[in-house]
Amino acid sequence: MADLLPEHPDFLWRNPDPKPSYDAVIVGGGGHGLATAYYLAKNHGMTNIAVLERGWLAGGNMARNTTIIRSNYLWDESAAIYEHSLKLWEELPEELEYDFLFSQRGVLNLAHTLQDVRESVRRVSANKLNGVDAEWLDVDQVKEVCPILNTSDKIRYPVLGGTFQPRAGIAKHDHVAWAFARKADELGVDLIQNCEVTGFVKDGNRVVGVQTNRGTINTGKVALCAAGHSSVLAKMAGFDLPIQSHPLQALVSELHEIVHPTVVMSNHVHVYVSQAHKGELVMGAGIDSYNGYGQRGAFHVIEEQMAAAVELFPIFARAHLLRTWGGIVDVTLDASPIVSKSPIENLYVNCGWGTGGFKGTPGAGWTMAHTVATGEPHPLNAPFSLERFVTGALIDEHGAAAVAH
Amino acid sequence: MLLISCPNCGPRDETEFHYGGQAHVAYPEDPNALTDEEWGRYLFYRENPKGLFAERWVHSSGCRKWFNAVRDTATYRIAAVYRMGETQPSVTGGAK
């Protein structure tokens, strides 16, 4: 078996010390930071750049999410950026020369009430108008796509149907990060771990450097890609973000034979579940209600989600829980991200992806790189500016986007 | 699960409560006088510190009364609870 696997390189990236100065510094070495670095180098020729990571690469939400990739969002602005992201996902394994097990097995978003049905049918129509593959399935068609799903009407919230996006799927998240990291490194990007940003150096209202536990680094531009800790960094830089950080938990079961052919999400009874290639059932919960940076949440949240999972999938009833964990998600009031200029000159923010950042990794990196390189947003991320919280042009995906909040 | 000391009912499980976000955010005296920026800040911006945070809870399954708590958002330790209308007690410590 082992000789069938490709030879594994010793190191996928260098481990350089920080240089005294860079053209741009990206704060946060998760998926979004690494993708931003990659696209800055590849699309914009900016290779004298560094990614600063407080811990180790991709040790935050990039290692903690449930790896769901989809683009079936309701509003035009969201459909555009998430669909662009999905198209990038479809090219990335080849482009990054890394098979990170991107599996387009589709995603089912279940409807359990008449209101769910109406919203789902509406969303399918909106998706089709935006060129996103989507269809409405009645309960028999749902059962065909996912035979292990309990579609009887004997449960508390019977499945009335669902939306299906065939091009959606999952990927192996840690490999995605390594793929971006290796390519960014090859293009000359310095990936610097164990380097915590402790402050920003400003000349008037313009950022000119960052202070770190490994010394001060001068830089022309700064890109914040720090997810749950974005508010803390913004405060350090002297501005506020309309974000609240919450714990979000997920869990896996022990390994099982492959029984689950797709990804199932239920907003109403609140669980989302897929089966990883190795065989563990991967499930996500809702956020814990309170603000928190603790990377852990309460057990009653897990319990609720398991109850929903077992009702929908009676076959899972005797599966053993292997691990649970929490990440910190950065939630905005309209459940849409912020990829934007900031009140500080030459400082840009990518945050607010909340519970759905993984699928947005390539799209966030692509648009953030454009914003950092040119100083202006790409048409795809222009609507996702900080100004929308003044103008009121919100992109309200709360409850609209098949998101289980 | 948090064990939250309701000022009226004593320590109870977190599942008896609902969260209300940042405490001490007053409704603007004269909303019509605010600029769009100021109104946007009132609507959408709340503090989000890593460390001590004054926040509101309601004891939904108990006395149904709102109250405030000072909690550390990094350790989740509740440093103080106090009734609505009382001033925020000064507590020290908490995560950096």
Side-chain angles (χ1 to χ4, degrees), chain A residues 219-394:
Chain A
T219 179
K221 292 160 185 255
V222 173
L224 300 186
C225 297
H229 276 79
S230 295
S231 299
V232 177
L233 282 164
K235 200 77 159 176
M236 252 181 227
F239 66 102
D240 293 316
L241 288 169
I243 278 181
Q244 300 282 284
S245 296
H246 290 273
L248 175 65
Q249 300 182 86
L251 63 92
V252 291
S253 74
E254 59 197 345
L255 306 188
H256 291 284
E257 226 176 282
I258 300 294
V259 291
H260 185 7
T262 182
V263 180
V264 170
M265 303 177 68
S266 168
N267 202 344
H268 196 78
V269 301
H270 214 296
V271 69
Y272 35 105
V273 54
S274 65
Q275 190 170 19
H277 293 78
K278 266 190 300 180
E280 47 303 37
L281 299 164
V282 184
M283 297 183 207
I287 58 171
D288 281 62
S289 66
Y290 48 77
N291 290 23
Y293 286 86
Q295 291 189 322
R296 66 185 189 284
F299 194 72
H300 69 265
V301 177
I302 297 272
E303 204 176 4
E304 213 168 278
Q305 149 206 14
M306 301 257 278
V310 169
E311 181 151 89
L312 287 176
F313 299 94
I315 193 177
F316 296 169
R318 303 178 81 170
H320 290 137
L321 182 69
L322 192 66
R323 279 186 302 126
T324 78
W325 62 90
I328 314 167
V329 296
D330 41 333
V331 180
T332 58
L333 264 292
D334 61 356
S336 284
I338 298 165
V339 186
S340 174
K341 299 202 274 189
S342 80
I344 312 292
E345 220 178 302
N346 292 347
L347 193 154
Y348 307 91
V349 287
N350 167 50
C351 60
W353 289 83
T355 59
F358 178 70
K359 72 176 82 66
T361 301
W366 181 282
T367 54
M368 187 63 174
H370 179 99
T371 309
V372 171
T374 66
E376 291 300 327
H378 187 279
L380 285 171
N381 68 305
F384 295 93
S385 68
L386 267 176
E387 281 88 63
R388 75 177 189 271
F389 298 100
V390 173
T391 64
L394 302 179

Side-chain angles (χ1 to χ4, degrees), chain B residues 51-54 69-72 77-82 87-95:
Chain B
L52 294 175
F53 185 45
V70 177
R71 188 179 54 94
D72 187 320
R77 189 182 68 92
I78 296 172
V81 291
Y82 54 107
T87 49
Q88 184 180 333
S90 74
V91 286
T92 52

